[in-house]
Each structure stands twice: as structure tokens, then as C-alpha cells.
Amino acid sequence: MDEKIFFKKLNSLGTSKEIFKFLSSLEVMSDIMASGALQRISEIEVDDNGLKNPEEVLENEVFRALCFQFEFESSKLSNTGLLNALQALIKLRTDPQSTLIASLLAESEERLGNRQLTVEHQCSLAESLLELEGASCAMLEQIVNHMQEKDIENWSPRELTTVYKILQVTVREGEQYHDLLNRMNSTTLTTAYQLSPKFTSIILNSLVVLRQTQAVPLVVALCKHSVKHVPYFTDDELVNVLEAFLYFGQREQSFTDALEKHVPKSISSMHPETVSKVMQYCCQKTILSKPIFDAVAEGFIYDADRFTTNQIAEYIVPFGTLNYLPPSASSLFRKLELILHTRFSQFQPHTLVKLLHSCVLIQRYPVNFLPKIFNPYFLQQLQAQPPGLDRFVTSQLTQLFLTVTLECPFYQGPKLLPKYQVNAFLTSHCSLDVHLLKRVTTGLLYLLKKRIYFASEVSTPYFYTVDIEIKLDEEGFVLPAAQCEEVHRRIALCVDGRNRFCINSHNLLGEEAIKQRHLQLLGYKVVQVPFFEIESLNTCRKMAEYLHKKIFPDTYGLGC
């Protein structure tokens, strides 16, 4: 039968039974036709869980006859027939230790050594080797060494992608393939716009594994190109892309827009690990996407019982970090409380602290679980597991304790012992914008005339650092910052730069929101000075007038 007619008929068949019947009707077929039949069977019979009907395929007489011929006549096969058969048989879960696979591998290795394989054939062989667990890296390294001598400008996207995958496995510390990688990065840059979702994801993943931080133009091009593929990525592919965005520090508004369209309508079919990675991306990039967060909250309410403890934390923590309560907040946190009651002991200690701390950032108080957290035995467990009781963890514990002290006066459980408390909180996102601070202090100096009337970056006994503090006496007059007597009122100016807000938003991050809430409960008059209110104030006088209205709204003059 003519090969074209054969493959047209083969591709029209939908079951392995039909294929075997069709093959039985042929008197003669080429090795390319036979290996093509095996490939078609593997496409039909193999899914994510493996071979659907092992006995029906592996015990079939036609299948066994084909395998016999491939094993004992491997030296007579064409390169295409040999490598297609090897690929199909590996996909069909044929025993890697069998004499069949050994025979095909030995023949492939001999032809590779004799340089009889084209780039396309070498890529096909490499894909098979990568599928074999514990495959010898020697053959893969031999393929890469051959590739270094080739003109890569003419490689197809599949060939480029395969070599990236090989390099992930073969490149160790050192730069033995540095030149090849640079050439590949340059070539891929010119074809990035043509790559399929699968190839885009694989190459981005390879660039992460190979730490190609110098390949910025390629990374940017692939990240931009990935936007149009968002609806078509598989779960694993989307995770690879998100990890690349995080690793290389990329943020594309169009990518976020694509996620906002894709996630809400696909949340029910997405794997929890993929959703966790989406939330991690939003959290680390401080992207408050209400469509995504609202959909994730709904997904959590209905499906959280099947999540791992890490996934539960990855779903919930961003709500606290980005200071957002979804419309379904009451159901969301009721569900979380039920899970904590039934699965508390399954959570790793550090995961629990992170999870409960994120809750208090948005005024959801886990008072039923804090006695267990402040228990000395639990704290010993925390200390015993990396990273132990470092400054970041003790900051979270201290803030949990301060929250129940200030906001939950009914809490009667154990306290956090002083030895586990910090002197000052760490602020991972919300550091002070020194440039903005300088502009505000210049305006204050114009307003108050002397620098002695305010202090900046003031440590308090309550673990927080106040950006600018002003003291007033009983009659409302400003006192020197160093004076401790007759202080009737303290004003805390919170100089909030862009880094204290979600990106492209006026929504304060959880760390800053809880700080301002606590300072108010501690007796301070909190005055927020956000960047978006003072960006356009380009003179000292305008800044002073603004500060006067913010700090002393009921007084007149004050040097203005």
C-alpha cells in the first residue's frame, strides 16, 4: 500500500482494535508504516494515567509480531522507522529493561556514534532518552556535542525546544555549553512569535533551570508571546510560565488581563497547584486582581477539602498580604476554620503561622487556634524546623500576639512569652520610601519652622516604627520631639510610597493596614500621607499647605 494512503487510513481509525485489524489485512508494510502504526496506537491508548488497556495492546498478536521484527531486525531499519518505534514503545510503557528497548537503544547509539543521524533524528532520540527514567546522560551529552557543531539558525522550533530540554539534564555547574546556549537564545528570539503554547512553556522552564538571567530580550519576548497562549496552556505549562515570570521578575499587564479572563471561567477545572501558583504570582507581584481573587475564594469554598495543606495556605495568604476581603469572605473564612479544626495537626508549623498571620492582617481573628500556636511545645517545633525561629517568623508571632491583645480583649488564652517577641517588626514589602520622606520632612520644616518639632523613623515600645511623629500638649500646641513630659497627643504620619500599595491601586497592603490600625488603637492620631496625594505638589509651600490641612484641619495659619 502507498504510504500516503496508509497514513490517511491509519489516522482515521479511533481504536487500537481497528488499527490491529487494519494491519492484519496488509501483506507488506515498510518499517516507517509499522512504526507509524505504533505511534498512532500510543496516541489513542495513552493518557496522563498511563496505558488505558495494557492487556488488549501488549498481548495482541499483531503488536507482538511488530515488536519481534523491530527487536531482531533493528539494524535493517531506516532511521525514521527505528526512532519512531523507540519513541512509541517507550510511550506505551514497554519495560525499559526489556531486550526490545535495549536492542533499539544499542542500534541508535551506534548510528549516533557513526554520525548517521540528522538533527531531526537526534532530537527524536533525545526525546526518547528523556522519557526513560535514569537514562544514560552519556548519549544525551554526545547529542549536545554534535549539536554544537551544527548551524542552528535553520533548526525548527521542535529541535530548539528539544535541545533546551537536553541541556536542562546535562548542564551542571560550569559553562561547557555557554556558547551553544547563547547561540540558541539568539536564534529562539527571532522565532519566539511562532512558538506553540507547549514550546513556549518548555523553553521558559529551561531558561529558569539553566539560570539564563542574561537572556533578558528572549525572556521578555517569550513572556509577551505567552499572553495569547494563556487560554490554551495546560496546567503544567501555565505553572512553568508563571514560575518564569517570578524568577525573571517579569510583569506584563496584558498577561494579568489574560489571567483575569481565563481563571474565573476555568477555576473549576484547574488543578489546585496551578491556582496556587497564580495566587503566588499575584501575591509576589502585589497584583490585586479582584476577578481572580473572587473566583479563587469561590473555588476554595467548594473544593478546599481536597487541597493539600500547602495549597490551602497558598490560596489564603494572598488575601491577607494584599489586604482584600472578597464578597464571599464570611463563607471563605468559615470554610477555613472548619478545615483548621479537622486538619490542624496536618499543617507544618511554619505554614500555620503564615496562614494565621495573614488572617489577622484582614481582621479575621483565629482566636480558637492561638492557644496552640503560643504553646511552648508548638514553638519548639517551629524552632526545630528550618528556617527555625528567625526574625521573620518571630515578627509574625509577635504581631499575632499584639493583634489579640489590642483587637480581641476577650481572648483569655496563653500569651506569647517575651523571649519569642521581637523589638521591632520586619516589613518585607512596606519599607519607607526615603525620597518621599525627604519631600514630606521639607514641607514639615516649612510648616513648623524648626526641625526639633518632629522626629522621623521613631521606634515605639509597641514594635512598630513611626515614619514621622509629632507631639502635642493638652492645648494642641506642638512640643519638641525630644520632650517626654506633658505629651497629651501623638500624631503618627504614615508616609506611604507606592511600595505600600497593591500595584496600580490605592489599596494598602496588609502589613501597612494593620500597622495603621494598631497605631490608632495604641492612642496615636494616624495621618496617612499617600504618594498619590502629594505627587503633584511641586513646591515646599504647596506641600506645607497640604500637611497643614491633613495634620491640623481645625487650625489656621501655622506659618503658612
Side-chain angles (χ1 to χ4, degrees), residues 440-446 448-456 458 468-471 478-482:
V440 173
T441 54
T442 303
L444 271 179
L445 191 58
Y446 189 99
L448 301 177
K449 302 305 181 189
K450 291 185 179 179
R451 184 67 176 79
I452 62 167
Y453 290 118
F454 62 94
S456 55
V458 179
I468 296 175
E469 184 183 68
I470 298 172
K471 297 175 180 176
V478 179
L479 297 170

PDB file of all heavy atoms in Angstrom, residues 440-446 448-456 458 468-471 478-482:
ATOM      1  N   VAL A 440       8.381  65.146  52.364  1.00  0.00           N
ATOM      2  CA  VAL A 440       7.428  65.451  53.436  1.00  0.00           C
ATOM      3  C   VAL A 440       8.124  66.214  54.566  1.00  0.00           C
ATOM      4  O   VAL A 440       7.567  67.192  55.099  1.00  0.00           O
ATOM      5  CB  VAL A 440       6.767  64.156  53.960  1.00  0.00           C
ATOM      6  CG1 VAL A 440       5.911  64.440  55.182  1.00  0.00           C
ATOM      7  CG2 VAL A 440       5.925  63.512  52.866  1.00  0.00           C
ATOM      8  N   THR A 441       9.324  65.788  54.938  1.00  0.00           N
ATOM      9  CA  THR A 441      10.039  66.489  56.021  1.00  0.00           C
ATOM     10  C   THR A 441      10.385  67.922  55.612  1.00  0.00           C
ATOM     11  O   THR A 441      10.341  68.832  56.441  1.00  0.00           O
ATOM     12  CB  THR A 441      11.325  65.737  56.416  1.00  0.00           C
ATOM     13  OG1 THR A 441      12.128  65.516  55.252  1.00  0.00           O
ATOM     14  CG2 THR A 441      11.001  64.404  57.059  1.00  0.00           C
ATOM     15  N   THR A 442      10.678  68.147  54.323  1.00  0.00           N
ATOM     16  CA  THR A 442      10.944  69.512  53.839  1.00  0.00           C
ATOM     17  C   THR A 442       9.689  70.368  53.987  1.00  0.00           C
ATOM     18  O   THR A 442       9.754  71.537  54.418  1.00  0.00           O
ATOM     19  CB  THR A 442      11.389  69.474  52.359  1.00  0.00           C
ATOM     20  OG1 THR A 442      12.538  68.638  52.245  1.00  0.00           O
ATOM     21  CG2 THR A 442      11.737  70.871  51.850  1.00  0.00           C
ATOM     22  N   GLY A 443       8.523  69.776  53.653  1.00  0.00           N
ATOM     23  CA  GLY A 443       7.259  70.502  53.820  1.00  0.00           C
ATOM     24  C   GLY A 443       6.948  70.776  55.280  1.00  0.00           C
ATOM     25  O   GLY A 443       6.455  71.859  55.641  1.00  0.00           O
ATOM     26  N   LEU A 444       7.235  69.791  56.139  1.00  0.00           N
ATOM     27  CA  LEU A 444       7.008  69.987  57.581  1.00  0.00           C
ATOM     28  C   LEU A 444       7.900  71.074  58.145  1.00  0.00           C
ATOM     29  O   LEU A 444       7.480  71.859  59.017  1.00  0.00           O
ATOM     30  CB  LEU A 444       7.266  68.673  58.333  1.00  0.00           C
ATOM     31  CG  LEU A 444       6.094  67.707  58.506  1.00  0.00           C
ATOM     32  CD1 LEU A 444       6.539  66.461  59.253  1.00  0.00           C
ATOM     33  CD2 LEU A 444       4.923  68.364  59.234  1.00  0.00           C
ATOM     34  N   LEU A 445       9.123  71.110  57.694  1.00  0.00           N
ATOM     35  CA  LEU A 445      10.055  72.133  58.157  1.00  0.00           C
ATOM     36  C   LEU A 445       9.548  73.520  57.770  1.00  0.00           C
ATOM     37  O   LEU A 445       9.624  74.474  58.552  1.00  0.00           O
ATOM     38  CB  LEU A 445      11.437  71.872  57.545  1.00  0.00           C
ATOM     39  CG  LEU A 445      12.613  72.685  58.098  1.00  0.00           C
ATOM     40  CD1 LEU A 445      12.770  72.475  59.593  1.00  0.00           C
ATOM     41  CD2 LEU A 445      13.903  72.301  57.384  1.00  0.00           C
ATOM     42  N   TYR A 446       8.992  73.632  56.578  1.00  0.00           N
ATOM     43  CA  TYR A 446       8.411  74.895  56.128  1.00  0.00           C
ATOM     44  C   TYR A 446       7.212  75.256  57.006  1.00  0.00           C
ATOM     45  O   TYR A 446       6.982  76.419  57.340  1.00  0.00           O
ATOM     46  CB  TYR A 446       7.974  74.745  54.672  1.00  0.00           C
ATOM     47  CG  TYR A 446       7.551  76.025  53.991  1.00  0.00           C
ATOM     48  CD1 TYR A 446       8.419  76.719  53.153  1.00  0.00           C
ATOM     49  CD2 TYR A 446       6.263  76.538  54.172  1.00  0.00           C
ATOM     50  CE1 TYR A 446       8.028  77.889  52.508  1.00  0.00           C
ATOM     51  CE2 TYR A 446       5.858  77.708  53.549  1.00  0.00           C
ATOM     52  CZ  TYR A 446       6.744  78.383  52.720  1.00  0.00           C
ATOM     53  OH  TYR A 446       6.348  79.541  52.096  1.00  0.00           O
ATOM     54  N   LEU A 448       6.423  73.976  60.273  1.00  0.00           N
ATOM     55  CA  LEU A 448       6.672  74.105  61.719  1.00  0.00           C
ATOM     56  C   LEU A 448       7.886  74.966  62.055  1.00  0.00           C
ATOM     57  O   LEU A 448       8.167  75.204  63.229  1.00  0.00           O
ATOM     58  CB  LEU A 448       6.846  72.705  62.336  1.00  0.00           C
ATOM     59  CG  LEU A 448       5.660  71.744  62.160  1.00  0.00           C
ATOM     60  CD1 LEU A 448       5.980  70.384  62.736  1.00  0.00           C
ATOM     61  CD2 LEU A 448       4.395  72.314  62.800  1.00  0.00           C
ATOM     62  N   LYS A 449       8.633  75.360  61.038  1.00  0.00           N
ATOM     63  CA  LYS A 449       9.768  76.291  61.155  1.00  0.00           C
ATOM     64  C   LYS A 449      11.043  75.669  61.708  1.00  0.00           C
ATOM     65  O   LYS A 449      12.137  76.071  61.320  1.00  0.00           O
ATOM     66  CB  LYS A 449       9.400  77.521  62.001  1.00  0.00           C
ATOM     67  CG  LYS A 449       8.208  78.311  61.470  1.00  0.00           C
ATOM     68  CD  LYS A 449       8.417  78.732  60.035  1.00  0.00           C
ATOM     69  CE  LYS A 449       7.246  79.539  59.487  1.00  0.00           C
ATOM     70  NZ  LYS A 449       7.376  79.740  58.030  1.00  0.00           N
ATOM     71  N   LYS A 450      10.926  74.721  62.631  1.00  0.00           N
ATOM     72  CA  LYS A 450      12.133  74.138  63.224  1.00  0.00           C
ATOM     73  C   LYS A 450      12.071  72.613  63.172  1.00  0.00           C
ATOM     74  O   LYS A 450      11.011  72.018  63.379  1.00  0.00           O
ATOM     75  CB  LYS A 450      12.307  74.594  64.677  1.00  0.00           C
ATOM     76  CG  LYS A 450      12.656  76.067  64.818  1.00  0.00           C
ATOM     77  CD  LYS A 450      12.921  76.422  66.270  1.00  0.00           C
ATOM     78  CE  LYS A 450      13.288  77.898  66.424  1.00  0.00           C
ATOM     79  NZ  LYS A 450      13.519  78.250  67.829  1.00  0.00           N
ATOM     80  N   ARG A 451      13.237  72.021  62.973  1.00  0.00           N
ATOM     81  CA  ARG A 451      13.335  70.553  62.853  1.00  0.00           C
ATOM     82  C   ARG A 451      13.088  69.853  64.187  1.00  0.00           C
ATOM     83  O   ARG A 451      12.742  68.671  64.218  1.00  0.00           O
ATOM     84  CB  ARG A 451      14.737  70.191  62.313  1.00  0.00           C
ATOM     85  CG  ARG A 451      14.950  68.700  62.034  1.00  0.00           C
ATOM     86  CD  ARG A 451      14.085  68.245  60.871  1.00  0.00           C
ATOM     87  NE  ARG A 451      14.301  66.865  60.497  1.00  0.00           N
ATOM     88  CZ  ARG A 451      13.795  65.808  61.124  1.00  0.00           C
ATOM     89  NH1 ARG A 451      13.014  65.982  62.171  1.00  0.00           N
ATOM     90  NH2 ARG A 451      14.026  64.586  60.694  1.00  0.00           N
ATOM     91  N   ILE A 452      13.190  70.602  65.288  1.00  0.00           N
ATOM     92  CA  ILE A 452      13.035  69.974  66.612  1.00  0.00           C
ATOM     93  C   ILE A 452      11.598  69.551  66.888  1.00  0.00           C
ATOM     94  O   ILE A 452      11.330  68.799  67.823  1.00  0.00           O
ATOM     95  CB  ILE A 452      13.509  70.919  67.746  1.00  0.00           C
ATOM     96  CG1 ILE A 452      12.656  72.198  67.753  1.00  0.00           C
ATOM     97  CG2 ILE A 452      14.991  71.222  67.631  1.00  0.00           C
ATOM     98  CD1 ILE A 452      12.832  73.035  69.015  1.00  0.00           C
ATOM     99  N   TYR A 453      10.639  70.018  66.069  1.00  0.00           N
ATOM    100  CA  TYR A 453       9.228  69.759  66.354  1.00  0.00           C
ATOM    101  C   TYR A 453       8.687  68.460  65.749  1.00  0.00           C
ATOM    102  O   TYR A 453       7.510  68.175  65.857  1.00  0.00           O
ATOM    103  CB  TYR A 453       8.375  70.946  65.897  1.00  0.00           C
ATOM    104  CG  TYR A 453       8.584  72.176  66.753  1.00  0.00           C
ATOM    105  CD1 TYR A 453       9.080  73.349  66.218  1.00  0.00           C
ATOM    106  CD2 TYR A 453       8.287  72.145  68.121  1.00  0.00           C
ATOM    107  CE1 TYR A 453       9.293  74.476  67.001  1.00  0.00           C
ATOM    108  CE2 TYR A 453       8.488  73.254  68.921  1.00  0.00           C
ATOM    109  CZ  TYR A 453       9.004  74.412  68.361  1.00  0.00           C
ATOM    110  OH  TYR A 453       9.211  75.511  69.147  1.00  0.00           O
ATOM    111  N   PHE A 454       9.518  67.731  65.104  1.00  0.00           N
ATOM    112  CA  PHE A 454       9.072  66.415  64.622  1.00  0.00           C
ATOM    113  C   PHE A 454      10.282  65.486  64.522  1.00  0.00           C
ATOM    114  O   PHE A 454      11.423  65.951  64.384  1.00  0.00           O
ATOM    115  CB  PHE A 454       8.344  66.514  63.274  1.00  0.00           C
ATOM    116  CG  PHE A 454       9.188  67.048  62.146  1.00  0.00           C
ATOM    117  CD1 PHE A 454       9.871  66.193  61.296  1.00  0.00           C
ATOM    118  CD2 PHE A 454       9.292  68.420  61.923  1.00  0.00           C
ATOM    119  CE1 PHE A 454      10.637  66.676  60.250  1.00  0.00           C
ATOM    120  CE2 PHE A 454      10.058  68.920  60.875  1.00  0.00           C
ATOM    121  CZ  PHE A 454      10.728  68.046  60.035  1.00  0.00           C
ATOM    122  N   ALA A 455      10.018  64.207  64.627  1.00  0.00           N
ATOM    123  CA  ALA A 455      11.076  63.188  64.524  1.00  0.00           C
ATOM    124  C   ALA A 455      10.676  62.171  63.470  1.00  0.00           C
ATOM    125  O   ALA A 455       9.487  61.891  63.280  1.00  0.00           O
ATOM    126  CB  ALA A 455      11.280  62.515  65.873  1.00  0.00           C
ATOM    127  N   SER A 456      11.654  61.648  62.777  1.00  0.00           N
ATOM    128  CA  SER A 456      11.368  60.644  61.746  1.00  0.00           C
ATOM    129  C   SER A 456      11.922  59.286  62.141  1.00  0.00           C
ATOM    130  O   SER A 456      12.895  59.195  62.901  1.00  0.00           O
ATOM    131  CB  SER A 456      11.949  61.087  60.395  1.00  0.00           C
ATOM    132  OG  SER A 456      13.323  61.354  60.510  1.00  0.00           O
ATOM    133  N   VAL A 458      10.700  56.806  64.107  1.00  0.00           N
ATOM    134  CA  VAL A 458      10.702  56.709  65.575  1.00  0.00           C
ATOM    135  C   VAL A 458      10.299  55.298  66.004  1.00  0.00           C
ATOM    136  O   VAL A 458       9.215  54.816  65.647  1.00  0.00           O
ATOM    137  CB  VAL A 458       9.723  57.739  66.188  1.00  0.00           C
ATOM    138  CG1 VAL A 458       9.707  57.616  67.702  1.00  0.00           C
ATOM    139  CG2 VAL A 458      10.103  59.149  65.753  1.00  0.00           C
ATOM    140  N   ILE A 468       6.923  59.451  60.819  1.00  0.00           N
ATOM    141  CA  ILE A 468       7.151  60.790  61.405  1.00  0.00           C
ATOM    142  C   ILE A 468       6.222  60.930  62.606  1.00  0.00           C
ATOM    143  O   ILE A 468       5.025  60.618  62.522  1.00  0.00           O
ATOM    144  CB  ILE A 468       6.856  61.914  60.388  1.00  0.00           C
ATOM    145  CG1 ILE A 468       7.828  61.848  59.208  1.00  0.00           C
ATOM    146  CG2 ILE A 468       6.936  63.292  61.059  1.00  0.00           C
ATOM    147  CD1 ILE A 468       7.538  62.842  58.096  1.00  0.00           C
ATOM    148  N   GLU A 469       6.774  61.401  63.722  1.00  0.00           N
ATOM    149  CA  GLU A 469       5.976  61.590  64.940  1.00  0.00           C
ATOM    150  C   GLU A 469       5.981  63.057  65.333  1.00  0.00           C
ATOM    151  O   GLU A 469       7.019  63.720  65.328  1.00  0.00           O
ATOM    152  CB  GLU A 469       6.530  60.744  66.085  1.00  0.00           C
ATOM    153  CG  GLU A 469       5.673  60.824  67.344  1.00  0.00           C
ATOM    154  CD  GLU A 469       6.271  60.029  68.510  1.00  0.00           C
ATOM    155  OE1 GLU A 469       7.340  60.439  69.009  1.00  0.00           O
ATOM    156  OE2 GLU A 469       5.666  59.020  68.897  1.00  0.00           O
ATOM    157  N   ILE A 470       4.791  63.556  65.666  1.00  0.00           N
ATOM    158  CA  ILE A 470       4.627  64.924  66.181  1.00  0.00           C
ATOM    159  C   ILE A 470       3.895  64.818  67.520  1.00  0.00           C
ATOM    160  O   ILE A 470       2.893  64.093  67.628  1.00  0.00           O
ATOM    161  CB  ILE A 470       3.818  65.798  65.201  1.00  0.00           C
ATOM    162  CG1 ILE A 470       4.555  65.911  63.864  1.00  0.00           C
ATOM    163  CG2 ILE A 470       3.557  67.181  65.778  1.00  0.00           C
ATOM    164  CD1 ILE A 470       3.747  66.584  62.763  1.00  0.00           C
ATOM    165  N   LYS A 471       4.391  65.544  68.537  1.00  0.00           N
ATOM    166  CA  LYS A 471       3.778  65.511  69.874  1.00  0.00           C
ATOM    167  C   LYS A 471       3.036  66.820  70.130  1.00  0.00           C
ATOM    168  O   LYS A 471       3.520  67.905  69.794  1.00  0.00           O
ATOM    169  CB  LYS A 471       4.849  65.311  70.939  1.00  0.00           C
ATOM    170  CG  LYS A 471       5.587  63.985  70.835  1.00  0.00           C
ATOM    171  CD  LYS A 471       6.724  63.909  71.843  1.00  0.00           C
ATOM    172  CE  LYS A 471       7.478  62.584  71.739  1.00  0.00           C
ATOM    173  NZ  LYS A 471       8.652  62.527  72.643  1.00  0.00           N
ATOM    174  N   VAL A 478       2.324  72.245  69.411  1.00  0.00           N
ATOM    175  CA  VAL A 478       3.359  71.277  69.060  1.00  0.00           C
ATOM    176  C   VAL A 478       4.509  71.365  70.049  1.00  0.00           C
ATOM    177  O   VAL A 478       5.003  72.459  70.364  1.00  0.00           O
ATOM    178  CB  VAL A 478       3.884  71.538  67.634  1.00  0.00           C
ATOM    179  CG1 VAL A 478       4.988  70.537  67.278  1.00  0.00           C
ATOM    180  CG2 VAL A 478       2.757  71.461  66.610  1.00  0.00           C
ATOM    181  N   LEU A 479       4.924  70.199  70.570  1.00  0.00           N
ATOM    182  CA  LEU A 479       6.043  70.115  71.510  1.00  0.00           C
ATOM    183  C   LEU A 479       7.310  69.676  70.781  1.00  0.00           C
ATOM    184  O   LEU A 479       7.233  69.026  69.731  1.00  0.00           O
ATOM    185  CB  LEU A 479       5.724  69.094  72.610  1.00  0.00           C
ATOM    186  CG  LEU A 479       4.523  69.406  73.521  1.00  0.00           C
ATOM    187  CD1 LEU A 479       4.202  68.190  74.386  1.00  0.00           C
ATOM    188  CD2 LEU A 479       4.813  70.627  74.397  1.00  0.00           C
ATOM    189  N   PRO A 480       8.468  69.993  71.322  1.00  0.00           N
ATOM    190  CA  PRO A 480       9.706  69.451  70.747  1.00  0.00           C
ATOM    191  C   PRO A 480       9.661  67.926  70.762  1.00  0.00           C
ATOM    192  O   PRO A 480       9.153  67.315  71.718  1.00  0.00           O
ATOM    193  CB  PRO A 480      10.797  69.995  71.670  1.00  0.00           C
ATOM    194  CG  PRO A 480      10.201  71.219  72.284  1.00  0.00           C
ATOM    195  CD  PRO A 480       8.741  70.941  72.437  1.00  0.00           C
ATOM    196  N   ALA A 481      10.170  67.313  69.736  1.00  0.00           N
ATOM    197  CA  ALA A 481      10.099  65.856  69.592  1.00  0.00           C
ATOM    198  C   ALA A 481      10.796  65.143  70.739  1.00  0.00           C
ATOM    199  O   ALA A 481      10.420  64.012  71.097  1.00  0.00           O
ATOM    200  CB  ALA A 481      10.714  65.438  68.264  1.00  0.00           C
ATOM    201  N   ALA A 482      11.823  65.766  71.319  1.00  0.00           N
ATOM    202  CA  ALA A 482      12.587  65.118  72.398  1.00  0.00           C
ATOM    203  C   ALA A 482      11.884  65.199  73.744  1.00  0.00           C
ATOM    204  O   ALA A 482      12.283  64.516  74.698  1.00  0.00           O
ATOM    205  CB  ALA A 482      13.975  65.744  72.493  1.00  0.00           C
TER     206      ALA A 482
END
